[in-house]
Amino acid sequence: MTPKKIAKLMLEKKAIDIKIFDVRKITSMTDYFIVCTSESDPQTKAITSHIERTGKKQGVKPVNIEGQHKNEWVLMDYINFIVHIFSKEKRSFY
């Protein structure tokens, strides 16, 4: 999967304010951050599940997923890119 594909998957679940950040020149941790805002807990779950299911179908699984129990900020680590799904409140803070 590519960062653009992740952004498309987010858009399919009506995520807003989607951004792709190329961080290769500022960190060795990953290549890209893909960030979006969700308007509700159910939407956050839907975005996360959609990305995870689509990736698995393509043989791509996250190394780690954090924040699913609160759905305020879900982080999905795919090594080469990290997906951030924020609630409106958390996105405005960060």
Side-chain angles (χ1 to χ4, degrees):
M1 287 199 307
T2 66
K4 285 185 180 183
K5 175 64 176 174
I6 296 293
K8 182 179 179 215
L9 295 172
M10 290 171 164
L11 194 57
E12 288 173 1
K13 294 300 176 183
K14 311 290 189 236
I16 58 174
D17 199 18
I18 301 167
K19 304 284 186 208
I20 299 172
F21 298 100
D22 182 341
V23 295
R24 291 177 288 189
K25 292 182 180 179
I26 58 175
T27 184
S28 60
M29 178 177 53
T30 191
D31 295 339
Y32 297 94
F33 287 157
I34 305 103
V35 180
C36 76
T37 302
S38 170
E39 299 186 279
S40 67
D41 282 358
Q43 184 183 23
T44 299
K45 290 175 187 176
I47 295 166
T48 303
S49 295
H50 189 48
I51 293 168
E52 190 174 14
R53 277 193 317 267
T54 303
K56 283 182 181 178
K57 288 178 186 175
Q58 297 177 8
V60 179
K61 295 180 183 178
V63 174
N64 192 26
I65 300 178
E66 296 180 20
Q68 285 182 297
H69 61 283
K70 288 189 176 182
N71 287 318
E72 295 175 341
W73 176 4
V74 176
L75 182 145
M76 304 173 78
D77 186 350
Y78 286 91
I79 304 294
N80 293 333
F81 55 87
I82 298 176
V83 175
H84 299 271
I85 305 165
F86 286 99
S87 67
K88 280 186 170 184
E89 296 78 25
K90 289 294 179 186
R91 181 78 181 264
S92 66
F93 182 78
Y94 291 105

